[in-house]
């Protein structure tokens, strides 16, 4: 198995990387936009030539991305749609978002310009890989959680679920009868396979025992010498704890397999972050992304320790923020000067993380 390098910026073409298949938790691609800004944007004779490279880059990203990984692809407002058409053939589209530069020229500082057209903001598109889960236990785990919408706990607790339902039915009750008699809304969780099953509290279990062994609807059809809910609560609790271990193991496996996406509350597809107006001069690069928005994107789409692959490292913002947040990274930059800048920016964060 190929060893995955960590926390390094290579001065080489991304297409010459030697990373193994399905290794990247997150890929942040900020490629040239084609005749937009910077010398690197004007190296293609035609737009078709540029799009051919977009396809090559996308195919390589697909090879590297984990089944539960995320691809973030930056682009300019007037070219990103062409890129999306290409990438949609390789990835499952998640969302298209806009970066609103709260201190940028989108504030419309020039009234004459604002009368000609609506100011543009830079855009990026989020993708997740197509489902390619391997056969076996991984597929089984994902099917349980993804397609049954959280019913895994009920499945794991099946012996207790069956016990509770059979005792209720033997007593001649329905969940509605229970709710009406006990003035509760919990019967749907105690006596059904169609929702997340819950173990009754000791107090509620005793109330149910009294109810089932007292006056019972349709009792003329039932044998009255049978005691419902005959299990002692402590015995029930012990069975529950044993079954819960299986559930927790399955849930842990699932959490490791699912694609992380942890948005803060009240998030939208318009991201409000300032632009670092002095970054280009400071780092000697024409298109430096802001550290705040980059940190946000990494935190939303990865867990600590994840591998972040940066195909076009530029001045190193993505690599530096990945290191700062405790993620591993591998970056690629063809310009020697920019590659050195990127490496310097990451050094202090790598040392801090090691300490």
């Amino acid at each position: 198995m190929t060893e995955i390098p960590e926390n390094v910026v290579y001065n080489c073409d991304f297409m010459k990387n030697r990373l193994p298949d399905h290794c990247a938790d997150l890929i942040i691609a900020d490629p040239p936009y084609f005749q937009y800004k910077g010398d690197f944007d004007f190296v293609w004779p035609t737009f078709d030539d540029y799009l051919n490279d977009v396809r090559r880059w996308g195919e390589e990203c697909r090879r590297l991305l984990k089944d539960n990984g995320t691809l973030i692809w930056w682009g300019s407002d007037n070219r990103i749609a062409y890129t999306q058409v290409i990438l949609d053939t390789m990835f499952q589209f998640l969302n298209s978002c806009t970066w609103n530069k709260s201190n940028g020229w989108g504030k419309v500082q020039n009234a004459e310009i604002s009368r000609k057209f609506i100011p543009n903001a830079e855009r990026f598109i989020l993708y997740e890989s197509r489902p390619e889960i391997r056969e076996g236990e991984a597929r089984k785990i994902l099917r349980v959680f993804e397609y049954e919408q959280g019913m895994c706990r009920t499945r794991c607790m099946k012996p207790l679920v069956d016990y509770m339902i059979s005792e209720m039915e033997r007593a001649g009750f329905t969940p509605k009868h229970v709710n009406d008699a006990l003035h509760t809304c919990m019967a749907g969780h105690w006596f059904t396979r169609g929702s997340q099953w819950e173990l009754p509290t000791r107090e509620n279990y005793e109330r149910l025992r009294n109810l089932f062994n007292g006056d019972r609807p349709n009792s003329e059809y039932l044998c009255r010498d049978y005691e419902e809910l005959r299990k002692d609560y402590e015995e029930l609790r012990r069975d529950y704890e044993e079954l819960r271990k299986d559930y927790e193991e399955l849930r842990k496996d699932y959490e490791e397999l699912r694609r992380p996406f942890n948005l803060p509350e009240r998030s939208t597809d318009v991201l409000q972050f300032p632009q670092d107006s002095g970054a280009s001069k400071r780092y000697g690069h024409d298109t430096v992304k802001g550290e705040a928005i980059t940190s946000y994107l990494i935190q939303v789409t990865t867990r600590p320790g994840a591998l972040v692959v940066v195909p076009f490292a530029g001045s190193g913002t993505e690599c530096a923020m990945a290191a700062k947040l405790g993620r591993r990274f591998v970056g690629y930059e063809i310009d020697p000067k920019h590659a050195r800048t990127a490496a310097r920016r990451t050094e202090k964060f790598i040392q801090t993380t090691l300490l």
Side-chain angles (χ1 to χ4, degrees), residues 1 3 10 29 42-43 72 101 180 186 201 210 239 272 289 340 342 351:
M1 182 177 179
E3 183 177 351
Y10 288 103
F42 294 83
V43 298
I72 298 176
K101 303 174 184 178
D180 291 344
M186 288 299 296
T201 63
N210 293 333
D239 292 343
Q272 305 273 355
K289 290 295 181 290
R340 288 193 295 270
Q351 293 300 323

Side-chain angles (χ1 to χ4, degrees), residues 37-68:
K37 190 177 183 180
D39 294 340
F40 47 79
D41 254 6
F42 294 83
V43 298
W44 290 272
T46 68
F47 188 48
D48 284 340
D49 293 323
Y50 169 77
L51 293 180
N52 286 335
D53 273 351
V54 169
R55 182 172 296 280
R56 291 174 57 245
W57 298 333
E59 289 172 348
E60 184 62 10
C61 288
R62 181 181 176 89
R63 181 184 74 81
L64 296 177
L65 197 63
K66 286 184 177 180
D67 295 330
N68 61 350

Side-chain angles (χ1 to χ4, degrees), residues 65-176:
L65 197 63
K66 286 184 177 180
D67 295 330
N68 61 350
T70 298
L71 168 65
I72 298 176
W73 194 288
W74 285 90
S76 65
D77 52 274
N78 60 343
R79 304 288 189 186
I80 193 64
Y82 297 91
T83 299
Q84 181 178 342
V85 170
I86 294 173
L87 295 181
D88 278 357
T89 66
M90 309 175 196
F91 302 93
Q92 180 181 342
F93 175 75
L94 178 62
N95 196 11
S96 173
C97 301
T98 300
W99 174 22
N100 181 8
K101 303 174 184 178
S102 54
N103 62 338
W105 77 286
K107 301 279 285 186
V108 192
Q109 300 171 2
N110 189 321
E112 194 65 34
I113 291 179
S114 69
R115 285 197 291 268
K116 294 180 181 178
F117 57 85
I118 299 174
N120 294 317
E122 284 186 286
R123 298 166 63 87
F124 63 87
I125 294 181
L126 291 177
Y127 291 84
E128 64 171 302
S129 63
R130 294 187 180 279
E132 296 175 355
I133 303 301
R134 313 295 182 261
E135 292 294 336
E137 190 64 21
R139 179 178 289 278
K140 173 186 171 184
I141 290 169
L142 285 182
R143 186 187 302 119
V144 168
F145 278 89
E146 299 280 358
Y147 299 105
E148 298 189 9
Q149 299 180 351
M151 293 299 101
C152 182
R153 183 167 61 194
T154 301
R155 278 184 158 229
C156 290
M157 301 294 173
K158 187 177 184 302
L160 295 184
V161 176
D162 290 345
Y163 163 73
M164 294 293 290
I165 292 176
S166 64
E167 297 295 282
M168 176 192 69
E169 292 176 345
R170 185 183 292 273
F173 281 83
T174 68
K176 185 178 185 308

